Amino acid sequence: MSEEISQSFSFRYIFEDEKQHEISAETLLTAELSLLDYIHRFSKKTGIQVGLVYKTREPGSVQDYFDLVWSNPLFQASAAFIIKDVLTAIIKKFISPNPKNKLSDEESTKLNIANYIDLKSKFEAGKLTAEEVNAFLDNDSKLKKYKSIFWKSVKDDSQIKKVEIKRDTNVIQLVQRPDFDSRIIDEKQENEIIHNAKVFITSPVLTKESNEMWSGEYENQLIKFYVKDNDFKNKVFSGEIVFKGATIFIDCELKKIKQFEDNREAKPKYQVDEVNSWGDDPNHTIKIEHSTKKENSNAGQLNLFE
């Protein structure tokens, strides 16, 4: 028999002006979507199916009422207590400050691989603890991102001075505006800005309509990247800067963006934020390892090795 167990929560956004009963649609929708992404991510990676159901809002109030719902056709009554503990742990971690003692990437990966394997089986056996759920929630990179988006959207609305979170009718936390930052990821710590990076261009994008990535070599490694410097791109599109071989380089502000696949650190993405200068080094050579599988050429992108 299919059964459901739910736990009710609410987020109340409290304004500086006590007479105010309106909130920016962008703030509220971003906050709600990030919580939904957080719940979906947890369910997808653990196999523990948790849904988010919003209730009708109280007229004249800016307060979100919602249920976290767990459903399982093989429901066992003995699991009810553990289920509510897990649902509460999810929300408590979502509203808590980020841990100060951040694990290294290697430690985080090992911990989460173990959690992916064990969480669902422990849950079904009725042995899953809130501490084990918290360990997973603390160190999954995408969960931290969704949580950060929620709190940043709330912070960006200058009218909100605090957020009150309830379980049923009991307040479980009241987060003041000065404490919003402790729940937001510092992007400067997640991404690395490489100043005056020298990147040799192997495949520039020559047409304005193209959405392809540029290709180049940085420190003997082939990378793909988007260029965000519009002044530089316009000089390329107009023909002021000409690429005749893979000896043209740019001196730039290069952003290295960490990527994760199933909480394993994957190949990073790159982005050129600003081009400081460019030049030609005819003595530079690039070793290219050609794939045995022929790939289709990208429209608007010039391969300087063909």
Side-chain angles (χ1 to χ4, degrees):
M1 179 177 66
S2 178
E3 298 283 351
E4 290 185 345
I5 291 182
S6 65
Q7 179 67 65
S8 296
F9 298 91
S10 69
F11 285 6
R12 182 183 174 204
Y13 307 98
I14 303 172
F15 304 119
E16 292 286 353
D17 183 353
E18 295 180 355
K19 297 180 180 179
Q20 181 174 338
H21 291 287
E22 297 176 346
I23 191 171
S24 160
E26 183 177 0
T27 298
L28 190 58
L29 290 174
T30 301
E32 290 178 340
L33 181 59
S34 59
L35 177 59
L36 178 62
D37 286 338
Y38 190 87
I39 300 302
H40 280 175
R41 171 72 177 178
F42 177 84
S43 295
K44 178 181 178 181
K45 301 312 298 183
T46 65
I48 301 172
Q49 298 305 311
V50 179
L52 178 62
V53 178
Y54 273 97
K55 298 182 177 181
T56 303
R57 293 181 191 131
E58 189 175 299
S61 171
V62 183
Q63 186 165 358
D64 268 348
Y65 295 91
F66 60 92
D67 284 350
L68 289 189
V69 182
W70 177 82
S71 57
N72 184 355
L74 301 176
F75 169 76
Q76 297 178 1
S78 60
F81 182 76
I82 294 175
I83 293 167
K84 292 213 170 189
D85 275 355
V86 170
L87 299 180
T88 300
I90 292 171
I91 293 300
K92 280 190 172 181
K93 190 54 62 175
F94 187 79
I95 63 178
S96 298
N98 293 325
K100 292 182 179 180
N101 297 323
K102 184 179 177 181
L103 292 176
S104 69
D105 291 331
E106 182 179 359
E107 290 172 325
S108 177
T109 298
K110 288 180 179 178
L111 176 60
N112 279 279
I113 290 174
N115 269 314
Y116 290 149
I117 297 171
D118 293 340
L119 281 179
K120 186 179 180 181
S121 59
K122 286 185 176 181
F123 179 73
E124 291 174 342
K127 297 179 180 179
L128 183 64
T129 67
E131 289 75 17
E132 289 170 317
V133 175
N134 285 335
F136 171 76
L137 297 173
D138 268 339
N139 295 289
D140 186 275
S141 59
K142 288 189 177 180
L143 289 179
K144 289 188 290 185
K145 176 183 176 182
Y146 298 142
K147 171 181 171 180
S148 180
I149 291 172
F150 175 93
W151 288 103
K152 189 175 187 305
S153 71
V154 174
K155 178 188 175 183
D156 288 345
D157 191 324
S158 60
Q159 296 298 316
I160 299 177
K161 68 175 182 179
K162 52 187 172 182
V163 179
E164 178 189 80
I165 301 93
K166 287 184 178 180
R167 180 181 59 195
D168 296 325
T169 59
N170 302 314
V171 176
I172 56 176
Q173 195 155 359
L174 184 63
V175 184
Q176 304 286 347
R177 169 167 281 276
D179 297 323
F180 292 171
D181 279 336
S182 64
R183 292 153 174 81
I184 298 172
I185 294 173
D186 184 353
E187 291 186 359
K188 293 179 180 178
Q189 294 179 0
E190 298 297 313
N191 300 329
E192 179 185 359
I193 303 296
I194 306 168
H195 301 290
N196 300 110
K198 189 174 184 179
V199 179
F200 284 88
I201 307 300
T202 58
S203 293
V205 176
L206 303 180
T207 59
K208 192 172 185 178
E209 295 76 18
S210 176
N211 292 320
E212 299 297 333
M213 300 178 76
W214 292 55
S215 296
E217 182 218 38
Y218 172 67
E219 292 189 341
N220 300 316
Q221 179 184 2
L222 293 180
I223 63 173
K224 288 185 174 293
F225 54 91
Y226 287 109
V227 175
K228 297 298 183 180
D229 189 326
N230 289 327
D231 289 339
F232 173 77
K233 289 194 293 184
N234 287 335
K235 287 182 171 64
V236 173
F237 300 149
S238 67
E240 182 177 339
I241 301 175
V242 179
F243 297 91
K244 294 182 178 180
T247 59
I248 301 295
F249 67 86
I250 57 174
D251 178 293
C252 63
E253 304 302 297
L254 182 65
K255 181 183 290 183
K256 183 179 179 181
I257 304 168
K258 284 187 177 182
Q259 298 292 304
F260 294 89
E261 295 287 342
D262 289 337
N263 223 63
R264 294 175 181 266
E265 189 165 1
K267 189 175 182 179
K269 288 185 178 180
Y270 291 90
Q271 175 179 301
V272 171
D273 288 337
E274 183 178 355
V275 177
N276 303 316
S277 61
W278 59 91
D280 188 3
D281 183 356
N283 295 320
H284 184 77
T285 58
I286 298 177
K287 182 180 179 181
I288 301 296
E289 295 182 1
H290 292 282
S291 172
T292 55
K293 182 180 179 181
K294 187 174 181 180
E295 297 180 357
N296 294 327
S297 60
N298 297 318
Q301 188 176 37
L302 173 65
N303 189 333
L304 300 178
F305 292 96
E306 292 182 347

